[in-house]
Amino acid sequence: MSAEKKVQSKDESRLKLDINNVFAEMIGKEHGMTVEELEEAKDKALKAHQNILKAEAEGEMGFMELPYKQKEVVNELKETAEKLKDKFDNFVVLGIGGSALGNIAVQTAINDPHYNLFKEARNGYPRLFVSDNVDPEGIKALLDKLDPEKTLFNVISKSGSTAETMSQFLLARKFVADAVGEEKVGEHFIATTSKDSGYLIEIAEREGMKKFFIPDNVGGRFSVLTPVGLLSAAMTGVDIEELLEGAAYMDQICRKSDFWENPALVNGLIQYLAYKKGKVMSVMMPYSDRLRDVADWYRQLWAESLGKEVDRQGNTVNVGPTPIKALGATDQHSQAQLYMEGPFDKIITFLEVENFAEELEIPGAYKDLDGVGYLGGHSFAELINTEKWATELALNKRNRMNQTVKVPEVNEFTLGQLFYFFEFQTAVTGELLNINTFNQPGVELGKNYTYGIFGRDGYQDKKDEFDSSAEHKDDLIL
């Protein structure tokens, strides 16, 4: 393929952002924006853009480095997958939050929907299970179905002290050791962790585990394009180089300093202005089963990054739009009523797939029945997108703010674009809100209470606080 044709094909696979339905011309002056408003505010967005690029130059924007600085890691991931895929029947991710949601999103988007059920769908790769909670019934049910001798576990924790992940690791370790013996435990685990600190790197060294490292300047919710997400992708046959290629392509777009040529910059500002206008809930609604878990991933990205108590100057601000996930057309029959007639407090972002891998014709029958016969001769691809367009129009008629990210087709290249687009947009919106987008002190507080209650050294004060608060709880349990 010539370089010119390759560039053309990549450009044809570019995501497109349709923002027509955020403007007053489409949804009315009371709830819509104007181009003039964006023009007046765009200098704030451009300043945010400059701040992000400056922070990147200072090594503080690790997610922006990922498309370019992982060649050796990618080769090692591919070699590992090729070496181990025939040795194990099951690949189990032990992780939570950013160490699980991206893995699930990649698997759902790229592989067969019934990948785990049918050998022919896996094309020689192992089954993938992501164990991302500590519900005892769920954990036991999974382990009961697995052959420990044919199972490889990927333990993901930057610190190695994540209570949920490490408790699952301790159980999985015993599960394996009881079957293969202590001396072979390390062969059944891969650790994905920090290179220079934490408990998991120490455990990995003791057990002789294979190790992959999470860059210190990349937080969990931004880590899907590190070994956190790339290892499970490689172990299930996903083209991880194309994922990163898509992210690199979107990065070049996000670097543009022309406001109207940078969709992540435009949309970061739209989300910020919408929030200021009282649209305090941000709904993501893909009309695609393959993209349903991207909405789940986005929910964490948006919530943990933008939900903050204080601004950069330490002032109490308690900001943050609430992310909501929905699925079209399914949630037209559960959530759409609220979106159409409830409070004017939402901005809805649709994900629309322009070309499905399958059209799937609807057979014709019962032509004498008006409520059924009209469907015949159309396709399911037509139907799902028509339902999206109809919902979009209905929202417009009710003056509800909405926009659409158009995905030419779902593949590794476009998925890499999606991940990077929303990560950069989140960084922009955080800058506009004048907060630290990359910390999560609220999450840490909950973790610390768990450590104290479980008796971890150094957290006795949290245990005391818990005991004190629990003294009066029985009074109001009905």
Side-chain angles (χ1 to χ4, degrees):
M1 180 183 289
S2 70
E4 183 178 347
K5 285 183 178 178
K6 185 175 182 181
V7 169
Q8 185 180 12
S9 67
K10 296 299 184 189
D11 288 342
E12 289 171 353
S13 296
R14 174 179 172 167
L15 303 182
K16 296 183 285 291
L17 176 66
D18 180 351
I19 58 173
N20 282 286
N21 297 338
V22 305
F23 291 112
E25 290 84 351
M26 300 301 288
I27 61 171
K29 291 182 179 179
E30 184 178 358
H31 296 286
M33 298 181 190
T34 64
V35 173
E36 289 73 26
E37 280 182 84
L38 264 68
E39 282 289 342
E40 289 173 9
K42 77 175 184 181
D43 284 346
K44 289 183 179 179
L46 290 170
K47 177 61 175 174
H49 191 249
Q50 291 170 5
N51 290 344
I52 291 168
L53 296 182
K54 181 175 181 290
E56 182 212 9
E58 295 170 354
E60 297 175 6
M61 292 284 171
F63 79 93
M64 295 177 68
E65 302 172 0
L66 299 176
Y68 308 105
K69 294 188 175 181
Q70 297 192 96
K71 187 174 181 179
E72 290 182 8
V73 174
V74 166
N75 288 337
E76 188 178 356
L77 287 164
K78 290 169 63 179
E79 289 169 5
T80 299
E82 190 61 33
K83 177 182 176 182
L84 297 178
K85 69 183 181 72
D86 296 326
K87 185 176 178 181
F88 295 100
D89 292 338
N90 310 298
F91 186 79
V92 181
V93 171
L94 303 179
I96 195 167
S99 299
L101 293 170
N103 309 65
I104 295 168
V106 172
Q107 175 72 353
T108 306
I110 302 303
N111 280 324
D112 189 282
H114 306 292
Y115 175 92
N116 274 4
L117 295 180
F118 302 103
K119 190 173 183 179
E120 58 270 24
R122 296 195 296 276
N123 196 28
Y125 289 90
R127 299 178 187 88
L128 174 65
F129 301 93
V130 181
S131 186
D132 66 340
N133 205 353
V134 287
D135 183 309
E137 294 181 19
I139 297 168
K140 188 172 188 305
L142 175 60
L143 293 183
D144 283 349
K145 308 297 186 298
L146 301 178
D147 177 355
E149 295 187 16
K150 300 294 286 182
T151 301
L152 177 63
F153 292 89
N154 179 204
V155 193
I156 307 176
S157 173
K158 204 169 187 179
S159 66
S161 61
T162 309
E164 300 90 347
T165 301
M166 298 312 291
S167 61
Q168 288 198 70
F169 162 67
L170 292 173
L171 181 61
R173 187 195 181 284
K174 183 179 187 303
F175 174 71
V176 170
D178 287 349
V180 304
E182 288 284 343
E183 67 281 357
K184 292 186 177 180
V185 162
E187 298 174 15
H188 289 258
F189 289 88
I190 297 176
T192 305
T193 187
S194 178
K195 185 175 184 178
D196 300 313
S197 63
Y199 297 104
L200 184 52
I201 186 65
E202 183 177 340
I203 290 170
E205 295 284 356
R206 288 187 194 180
E207 301 281 10
M209 296 179 190
K210 175 74 178 172
K211 302 178 291 293
F212 287 99
F213 302 116
I214 309 167
D216 289 336
N217 59 356
V218 179
R221 57 189 175 274
F222 289 85
S223 68
V224 62
L225 297 177
T226 73
V228 168
L230 296 180
L231 176 58
S232 62
M235 286 295 298
T236 55
V238 174
D239 189 336
I240 59 176
E241 289 173 310
E242 273 293 286
L243 273 174
L244 292 169
E245 186 80 14
Y249 180 84
M250 181 52 65
D251 173 68
Q252 294 304 307
I253 296 169
C254 291
R255 288 179 183 275
K256 291 184 177 182
S257 57
D258 185 313
F259 176 75
W260 290 106
E261 290 187 7
N262 187 332
L265 196 56
V266 171
N267 209 31
L269 182 59
I270 286 173
Q271 293 281 353
Y272 169 74
L273 293 176
Y275 180 73
K276 292 295 185 181
K277 284 177 173 287
K279 316 302 181 194
V280 296
M281 299 188 187
S282 177
V283 179
M284 178 171 285
M285 191 169 186
Y287 272 72
S288 162
D289 282 351
R290 286 193 175 276
L291 297 178
R292 66 190 302 161
D293 290 322
V294 170
D296 219 6
W297 168 85
Y298 165 82
R299 188 172 57 167
Q300 184 207 9
L301 178 73
W302 205 240
E304 273 193 355
S305 297
L306 303 182
K308 297 295 160 66
E309 182 179 22
V310 299
D311 64 16
R312 285 203 169 101
Q313 287 70 46
N315 303 307
T316 300
V317 289
N318 296 114
V319 298
T322 299
I324 300 170
K325 68 168 186 172
L327 176 66
T330 301
D331 286 321
Q332 289 176 200
H333 300 270
S334 65
Q335 298 180 35
Q337 172 63 33
L338 173 67
Y339 302 163
M340 297 288 180
E341 297 186 355
F344 288 85
D345 59 357
K346 300 170 190 68
I347 175 171
I348 298 170
T349 300
F350 295 113
L351 303 184
E352 176 187 329
V353 177
E354 296 181 303
N355 298 289
F356 285 88
E358 299 288 345
E359 290 287 324
L360 194 60
E361 185 177 344
I362 303 170
Y366 308 109
K367 291 185 178 179
D368 59 318
L369 302 178
D370 290 344
V372 179
Y374 75 97
L375 294 166
H378 294 286
S379 72
F380 282 93
E382 280 182 86
L383 179 59
I384 195 167
N385 276 341
T386 298
E387 295 215 30
K388 182 265 175 183
W389 301 328
T391 302
E392 182 182 3
L393 178 59
L395 288 167
N396 288 352
K397 292 293 184 181
R398 287 170 169 80
N399 311 121
R400 309 292 171 145
M401 190 177 285
N402 66 92
Q403 58 182 354
T404 298
V405 176
K406 294 179 181 287
V407 183
E409 61 182 292
V410 180
N411 55 37
E412 289 94 337
F413 184 75
T414 56
L415 184 62
Q417 287 185 69
L418 276 171
F419 284 140
Y420 196 91
F421 171 78
F422 287 117
E423 287 175 350
F424 200 95
Q425 172 190 297
T426 301
V428 170
T429 307
E431 281 291 323
L432 291 167
L433 289 169
N434 188 33
I435 57 169
N436 184 340
T437 309
F438 301 96
N439 67 356
Q440 54 276 336
V443 178
E444 297 305 321
L445 182 59
K447 288 181 181 179
N448 291 342
Y449 281 124
T450 300
Y451 298 154
I453 295 162
F454 259 55
R456 181 177 171 183
D457 288 345
Y459 294 87
Q460 181 61 41
D461 59 326
K462 300 302 180 192
K463 174 70 162 62
D464 294 342
E465 285 183 45
F466 175 80
D467 289 343
S468 177
S469 70
E471 287 176 5
H472 307 293
K473 275 196 171 180
D474 287 341
D475 297 346
L476 292 173
I477 295 178
L478 305 181

